[in-house]
Amino acid sequence: MAIFPQGMTHVDRRCNAGERRVFHQLRRCLDDDCWVWHDVPIGPRARQPDFVVLGPRFGILLLEVKDWKRSTLVGATRDAVELDTPQGRVTQANPLRQARAYALELVDLMKADPALVHAGGAFKGKLLFPFGWGVAFSRLRRGDVEGSDFGSIFPAQQILMGDELDETVDPGAFHTRLRDLFTVHYPHTLTLPQRDRVRWHLFPELRLQPQASLNFGARDDAAPALPDLLQVMDLQQEQIARSLGEGHRVIHGVAGSGKTMILIYRAQHLAAAARPEQPVLVLCFNRTLADRITAHLRARGVDERVQVRTFHSWCKDVVDSYQLDVPNTGNAQDWYAALARTVDRALETGFVPGGQYTALLIDEAHDFEDAWLRMATRLVDPNTRSLLVLYDDAQSIYQPKRRKFNFASVGIEARGRTSVLRLNYRNTAEVLALAVQCARSLLEGASEARGEDEIPVVHPTTAGRSGAMPTLLTARNPDEEADLIAERVRE
């Protein structure tokens, strides 16, 4: 069965009647190493074919779906199609030409990547893997168009008809028909890194920002080269990011598992529907993280419809906007506590209106007090109830561990809406092993088998990246420690 990174329920719900027939046939007949996306923007120009199929032995296939009846189809040329609709006669682009244009645009894009083309031989400069395009006419059967010039506009080898979408069709026969849609045929099995490079080109929103290198000699105006390592979300991360629906959602994840990256993807997605007067709010505890999230969003073209704040800076915004009185305690820590209490009280009494944000996303929720999390549920528009909470109790720095806590106690509905990320991509296996030993007291006795509404301590698993063994440096005083660190940086 094919894999749908958006989630099968999500795809099934979004499909129209014709697309649903194609969706069920792809799900039934494709192998489980094939990935299928429905109606998602692809490439830098955000083209939006109905289906994109990617498989290691399959290549890339783009499909357009048309649910036309024979009585609807008035005429067609290689460029356009005339349809008889309840609204009258309309002209649309020829879907086969449209699918071809999308495919060739992607091919040109990926041919610029040396890692995805043949370096020599008869196919030098050509893509390593086959590609194709086609149109599925979900309600037209072969018999409906016999005796017409339909085949001169829509060649049989480039289309799927309703006959081929029946559940009685043998999966192997359907798989062969899909391969007929490929205009380029040569055997190649994509490696995992090659597959991820393809995804990097297909879906810019899944790209991970690489660590900037300290290239002191580079010219400021030098064009950036395509990096050797193109990093994208893994399948679980993409599935979580794409399938997050409305309502309350909780993600538990170890350090370095991609929680913040998923938050950035989600914020970018929500920004498209947000109105300036009801923006998306991202809250976290740490100012450095807030700045980092802001930089990533702005680099992706997301404007002020997504606002990123630390919790206390957001509270200060509320106090200034609504002229709230915060007692001056003379102690910074006490003042921050009074600031949060003042805003909490104003929200509870209705002096500050709730539901001001289309969505709220909380990073570092393990460092939020219970009252702050309770406030979060009041901030979201009740029509969307879009609240995303990212949590890792093992990383809690500023708050005591919540051993007897459940999300329901602060109004967050986590049951059936929780995902767990265990793979740590940030550290090498050697560093992670040492870190786990040092954090043993945090992890021992922690059970992941708690209820969904409770807080698990998730044990990290290495993603398999290896590196040097950690080295222990000992120094007699802080000055010598600084010298030792500086020397390592110099090396």
Side-chain angles (χ1 to χ4, degrees):
M1 181 187 295
I3 295 172
F4 292 81
Q6 298 158 275
M8 288 189 288
T9 302
H10 178 75
V11 173
D12 195 26
R13 188 169 59 245
R14 291 184 57 197
C15 285
N16 62 34
E19 292 168 350
R20 189 168 290 110
R21 288 198 70 194
V22 176
F23 158 61
H24 285 297
Q25 198 72 323
L26 292 173
R27 184 182 65 174
R28 184 176 73 90
C29 298
L30 286 180
D31 298 330
D32 56 9
D33 60 357
C34 286
W35 294 4
V36 183
W37 293 267
H38 167 255
D39 195 30
V40 295
I42 59 174
R45 299 179 66 179
R47 303 297 194 186
Q48 207 150 334
D50 292 320
F51 289 97
V52 178
V53 182
L54 171 64
R57 287 173 292 275
F58 196 78
I60 292 182
L61 176 66
L62 270 58
L63 281 176
E64 287 290 312
V65 181
K66 295 301 176 186
D67 202 28
W68 299 335
K69 295 183 292 187
R70 181 65 185 90
S71 58
T72 302
L73 190 57
V74 177
T77 68
R78 295 188 184 278
D79 296 315
V81 176
E82 190 175 7
L83 301 172
D84 196 357
T85 73
Q87 292 75 37
R89 292 281 176 92
V90 298
T91 301
Q92 295 183 5
N94 183 315
L96 188 57
R97 190 178 185 91
Q98 198 172 19
R100 177 181 182 273
Y102 292 171
L104 294 182
E105 184 178 304
L106 284 176
V107 168
D108 288 341
L109 177 72
M110 288 185 285
K111 281 169 67 176
D113 185 345
L116 294 179
V117 297
H118 290 275
F123 296 107
K124 183 178 180 180
K126 304 292 186 182
L127 279 186
L128 288 171
F129 51 91
F131 59 89
W133 62 85
V135 178
F137 293 102
S138 56
R139 294 178 72 176
L140 286 176
R141 306 186 79 84
R142 298 281 179 192
D144 295 334
V145 295
E146 281 184 359
S148 71
D149 60 353
F150 183 86
S152 64
I153 304 298
F154 300 105
Q157 69 274 16
Q158 290 294 150
I159 62 172
L160 298 172
M161 301 296 283
D163 317 60
E164 292 149 328
L165 301 177
D166 291 339
E167 290 189 358
T168 56
V169 173
D170 177 71
F174 182 75
H175 205 278
T176 299
R177 279 294 297 122
L178 288 184
R179 288 194 177 279
D180 291 341
L181 301 179
F182 284 71
T183 56
V184 179
H185 298 272
Y186 42 77
H188 179 79
T189 299
L190 286 167
T191 65
L192 293 181
Q194 289 170 346
R195 184 197 62 187
D196 284 342
R197 289 185 85 89
V198 171
R199 291 172 63 228
W200 192 93
H201 291 290
L202 285 177
F203 307 116
E205 69 274 16
L206 299 183
R207 296 174 185 176
L208 309 189
Q209 297 297 325
Q211 175 68 41
S213 61
L214 300 178
N215 189 357
F216 297 107
R219 289 169 31 217
D220 290 341
D221 59 350
L226 194 65
D228 292 333
L229 179 63
L230 304 185
Q231 295 179 297
V232 293
M233 293 184 187
D234 69 20
L235 178 59
Q236 186 194 13
Q237 291 164 343
E238 182 183 353
Q239 286 178 319
I240 291 174
R242 290 194 185 279
S243 61
L244 285 171
E246 302 296 349
H248 296 182
R249 304 282 168 171
V250 177
I251 299 176
H252 298 286
V254 300
S257 60
K259 299 186 298 297
T260 299
M261 178 182 60
I262 291 173
L263 179 145
I264 291 169
Y265 174 96
R266 179 65 173 167
Q268 181 182 7
H269 171 75
L270 292 169
R275 304 188 306 274
E277 67 274 14
Q278 195 180 44
V280 174
L281 177 64
V282 177
L283 290 179
C284 54
F285 190 88
N286 184 282
R287 186 182 303 170
T288 302
L289 179 59
D291 291 342
R292 176 177 164 232
I293 292 172
T294 300
H296 277 294
L297 288 170
R298 300 300 175 255
R300 291 167 176 251
V302 179
D303 60 20
E304 291 297 328
R305 283 176 294 180
V306 176
Q307 299 176 3
V308 185
R309 299 283 189 275
T310 66
F311 173 76
H312 289 107
S313 68
W314 173 80
C315 286
K316 185 66 165 57
D317 290 345
V318 173
V319 165
D320 292 344
S321 298
Y322 293 94
Q323 296 295 294
L324 304 179
D325 182 33
V326 181
N328 188 356
T329 63
N331 177 282
Q333 190 169 353
D334 291 344
W335 183 83
Y336 280 121
L339 176 71
R341 287 195 300 270
T342 299
V343 174
D344 187 15
R345 188 163 53 250
L347 275 168
E348 191 172 5
T349 61
F351 187 81
V352 171
Q356 296 190 26
Y357 298 97
T358 297
L360 174 60
L361 299 83
I362 304 177
D363 207 346
E364 302 177 316
H366 43 265
D367 285 325
F368 278 48
E369 294 182 6
D370 291 9
W372 306 356
L373 293 173
R374 199 173 292 110
M375 290 165 62
T377 61
R378 303 191 190 113
L379 299 177
V380 181
D381 184 340
N383 294 315
T384 67
R385 301 182 66 254
S386 185
L387 173 65
L388 174 63
V389 177
L390 308 185
Y391 206 104
D392 178 15
D393 198 50
Q395 293 187 71
S396 181
I397 299 171
Y398 304 101
Q399 299 297 332
K401 300 292 181 287
R402 292 182 168 105
R403 291 300 183 227
K404 295 182 179 179
F405 169 86
N406 62 70
F407 285 104
S409 67
V410 293
I412 297 174
E413 299 170 7
R415 292 184 181 275
R417 300 165 178 265
T418 299
S419 303
V420 177
L421 296 169
R422 293 179 175 83
L423 278 179
N424 174 299
Y425 287 98
R426 182 179 302 156
N427 305 116
T428 62
E430 293 79 4
V431 169
L432 182 60
L434 176 62
V436 168
Q437 285 297 313
C438 293
R440 191 165 43 196
S441 63
L442 292 176
L443 300 175
E444 280 182 348
S447 171
E448 294 189 36
R450 303 181 186 182
E452 274 194 285
D453 203 33
E454 298 176 311
I455 304 295
V457 175
V458 184
H459 291 253
T461 302
T462 177
R465 186 164 61 91
S466 293
M469 289 296 292
T471 302
L472 176 64
L473 302 179
T474 58
R476 289 167 295 188
N477 54 58
D479 287 343
E480 185 179 16
E481 180 183 21
D483 289 340
L484 286 168
I485 293 171
E487 183 58 35
R488 290 301 184 278
V489 173
R490 253 195 306 271
E491 290 176 2

